[in-house]
Amino acid sequence: MSPHHVFRRRPGRRMRAAPAVAAAGILVTGLLAVPASAQDTPVPTPTATPGTGALGTVARTAGGARYEPGPCPKTADPVPELEGARCGTLTVPENRAKPNGRTVKLGVAIVPAAAATPKPDPIVWLAGGPGDDAVGEAKLAVDGGLNRDRDLILMSQRGTYSADPALTCANIDEFNARATGLVYDAPSTERVHVQATKACRDKLAARGVDLSAYNDIESSADLADLRKALGLKQWNVFGISYGTHLALVYMRLHPQGIRSVGIDGILPPSTAGSALTWSAAKQGFDGVFKACAEQPACNRRYPDLPATFERLVRRLEARPVTTTVTLPDSRKQVKVVLDGGALVNWMTSATHVAPQVPLALDELAHGKPRRIAEQWAVAKYGPQAVGRLSHGLVYGVFCSEWTPYETEQQALEGGREAFPSFPRSVQAQAPQLTFLRADCDAWNVPAVPRSIRDATRSDIPTLAVSGGFDAQTGAANGPYVARTLPNATVVTVPYEPHVVFATSKCAQDITVSFFETPTAPKTACLKSLKPPRFETGP
């Protein structure tokens, strides 16, 4: 994680042309740009079904979990799509191995279907991250049409913003902003980085939080309990980014009652880790470079972009560039240091604004770092970057499910295989996961059973969607997970970044049609998609 970057998409944000850039951070940030073509779906006022009550209006206990109707969960920003939603909380054991121990409360919001007569099997939304809050992503799900004829269920994962306790740590987010002015992968940066991680851990542990209980095994059990507590015989699942990781664990451990599963921006639990992020970066970068090469104007203006990019990484790692940028909203000036590692991580995010990439790299090569420096810094200094991400869930997943089952040598080999020309100092810090092993040493939670790395084998109908420019999880993960999912439909949407549901009307239409007919989603719109027109500058 570069400092503390994670696999996520954050709704309502997009990187704009400099200087008014809202940069991404991957997996740090998302840059969830909601496509202009997406239409707001009306949210009707819920009406109770005589004798039973509408979904989410009846208190019910299921095993060790209890659902209670109540006010809608808090959100960091107003979410108009939650007006008229039916809400409550699911109370579950913090650690199911300690049934008489602490409990946690998870916020639940049910957005009614737009149709007067909804289908009986709702769709439950799994957010990215780890650590993003599903309830705050209602707009993204509604704009994509998921509640057209089914109720839409959003539940905050344990530890996230609208859960109790919320395992957020503003000190880490504030460090992430300051770190844009530090050499990205320097030992001195690592020391301060890990200090921020340890301070977060110490704060949460002092509150009595069982940090070992924030992982996919517990979260998938939370989902199973929610379905039962809502009295649902069957539902559908849709996960984005890290939410696909959770979805694949959930359908393996608790397949009962799952009608179909959609996964977008796929992160397989069986291979997740540093080597995979290197592979994903390579795939996304190559997708953008290839699209430029196939566009005559772009190819003439920026020939051999891969070589230019790799040359810049080596040059900046040897001689970092320091500049000052002005934050658009506050007009505050901040220092930005661009070295090789920073450029790789900027590029991982910048595939969300692919038309700018060739021009930005060319400007940097000619001594003009402003565009990249602004995009690298702006999002991390914005209010949306502070106090919203559950770092407790981030490290709960990474440090119990990933690092125990990937050696440091395997992680390094991933970098060498993807980019053999990069300096070793760059190869040693995987994109989005900088200093991960040192962070996990500080976080100090036990590994979950090795079975967490098992491939998911299931005949549940599954839609596996990826973007051709996805540098965060990589389009190859779709065919990979489909090898053990015989009823999977694999779709790669060309010219799109991580989480295509957020940026592509075609992807939204395919997804909605999948939930209507899981064995035969409509994919004809893929034939009409065209590459973006790359900016070529003066």
Side-chain angles (χ1 to χ4, degrees):
M1 303 185 309
S2 167
H4 312 91
H5 287 181
V6 284
F7 294 87
R8 53 198 269 241
R9 289 299 302 270
R10 183 174 290 160
R13 304 176 65 190
R14 69 179 72 206
M15 290 174 71
R16 304 183 296 277
V21 184
I26 260 247
L27 265 147
V28 126
T29 94
L31 307 190
L32 255 214
V34 177
S37 58
Q39 300 297 313
D40 289 344
T41 303
V43 180
T45 301
T47 56
T49 302
T52 62
L55 181 65
T57 61
V58 177
R60 186 182 282 107
T61 298
R66 180 164 179 79
Y67 176 79
E68 292 276 0
C72 285
K74 66 177 182 178
T75 56
D77 299 305
V79 182
E81 289 72 17
L82 295 179
E83 295 176 10
R86 304 183 291 268
C87 297
T89 56
L90 182 75
T91 301
V92 296
E94 182 179 45
N95 187 332
R96 287 176 172 82
K98 303 173 184 178
N100 297 320
R102 286 164 43 110
T103 59
V104 297
K105 291 184 181 295
L106 311 178
V108 178
I110 302 170
V111 179
T117 307
K119 300 290 176 62
D121 47 334
I123 298 172
V124 61
W125 174 275
L126 307 186
D132 281 348
D133 190 84
V135 178
E137 296 184 351
K139 177 177 173 57
L140 174 60
V142 169
D143 282 356
L146 288 188
N147 73 321
R148 186 181 68 182
D149 54 10
R150 286 177 167 83
D151 287 351
L152 171 68
I153 302 172
L154 307 113
M155 179 175 73
S156 51
Q157 270 187 66
R158 50 179 51 217
T160 58
Y161 185 87
S162 64
D164 182 14
L167 308 188
T168 55
C169 285
N171 75 296
I172 287 180
D173 304 321
E174 291 160 357
F175 170 77
N176 287 342
R178 296 195 306 273
T180 59
L182 304 175
V183 176
Y184 186 83
D185 50 17
S188 55
T189 302
E190 178 178 8
R191 285 193 296 272
V192 186
H193 174 111
V194 176
Q195 287 172 7
T197 301
K198 188 175 186 306
C200 172
R201 187 201 191 284
D202 291 347
K203 181 190 81 168
L204 298 178
R207 289 164 47 190
V209 175
D210 182 351
L211 296 173
S212 69
Y214 293 80
N215 55 55
D216 281 5
I217 295 175
E218 294 286 359
S219 291
S220 61
D222 295 341
L223 289 166
D225 282 344
L226 177 65
R227 182 184 64 80
K228 296 171 188 174
L230 290 176
L232 288 168
K233 180 180 179 181
Q234 195 173 53
W235 67 3
N236 304 276
V237 177
F238 185 65
I240 61 168
S241 194
Y242 157 74
T244 68
H245 189 286
L246 176 57
L248 289 162
V249 172
Y250 171 48
M251 64 193 290
R252 179 169 62 83
L253 297 182
H254 303 279
Q256 302 83 4
I258 302 177
R259 172 179 176 264
S260 66
V261 176
I263 47 178
D264 179 357
I266 301 162
L267 184 60
S270 55
T271 57
S274 296
L276 187 68
T277 67
W278 276 119
S279 171
K282 174 70 170 171
Q283 292 172 57
F285 300 173
D286 285 352
V288 174
F289 295 152
K290 183 174 183 289
C292 173
E294 291 174 347
Q295 201 168 103
C298 188
N299 190 45
R300 284 195 302 270
R301 182 71 176 81
Y302 311 113
D304 202 3
L305 269 179
T308 298
F309 173 67
E310 295 194 22
R311 184 170 61 252
L312 282 169
V313 170
R314 294 193 299 270
R315 188 173 85 189
L316 289 174
E317 191 67 4
R319 296 183 300 278
V321 169
T322 300
T323 187
T324 301
V325 301
T326 301
L327 302 179
D329 295 334
S330 66
R331 308 309 299 169
K332 175 183 178 180
Q333 290 194 320
V334 298
K335 183 177 83 168
V336 176
V337 176
L338 295 177
D339 61 0
L343 185 62
V344 170
N345 280 270
W346 165 82
M347 182 67 184
T348 304
S349 300
T351 52
H352 291 269
V353 287
Q356 296 183 33
V357 165
L359 174 60
L361 290 174
D362 185 71
E363 288 174 344
L364 181 61
H366 288 86
K368 300 176 182 178
R370 183 175 66 89
R371 182 189 302 261
I372 291 177
E374 285 184 343
Q375 292 182 350
W376 181 231
V378 168
K380 298 176 188 178
Y381 275 95
Q384 289 185 323
V386 179
R388 303 191 182 197
L389 180 69
S390 172
H391 294 283
L393 186 57
V394 170
Y395 289 117
V397 172
F398 289 173
C399 303
S400 70
E401 302 180 27
W402 293 17
T403 56
Y405 302 113
E406 180 183 57
T407 66
E408 189 171 1
Q409 185 61 29
Q410 288 170 328
L412 180 61
E413 285 301 323
R416 289 173 173 168
E417 183 175 341
F419 296 100
S421 75
F422 282 1
R424 190 187 187 285
S425 56
V426 175
Q427 295 170 340
Q429 304 299 338
Q432 314 168 77
L433 300 174
T434 313
F435 308 132
L436 179 59
R437 302 195 76 84
D439 282 331
C440 286
D441 287 344
W443 203 252
N444 190 27
V445 291
V448 300
R450 180 176 284 275
S451 59
I452 196 68
R453 308 288 288 186
D454 290 350
T456 297
R457 302 178 184 277
S458 174
D459 60 2
I460 297 172
T462 304
L463 176 68
V465 187
S466 303
F469 289 172
D470 186 351
Q472 293 173 243
T473 53
N477 289 339
Y480 171 80
V481 298
R483 297 182 308 171
T484 54
L485 302 172
N487 291 325
T489 300
V490 178
V491 173
T492 298
V493 183
Y495 319 120
E496 293 291 342
H498 184 57
V499 182
V500 295
F501 188 85
T503 56
S504 168
K505 182 64 166 58
C506 178
Q508 294 173 356
D509 290 345
I510 291 171
T511 302
V512 171
S513 75
F514 166 76
F515 288 120
E516 184 65 28
T517 311
T519 56
K522 299 175 182 177
T523 61
C525 62
L526 293 169
K527 298 176 182 178
S528 62
L529 299 180
K530 293 181 170 55
R533 183 174 296 278
F534 289 93
E535 297 179 23
T536 55

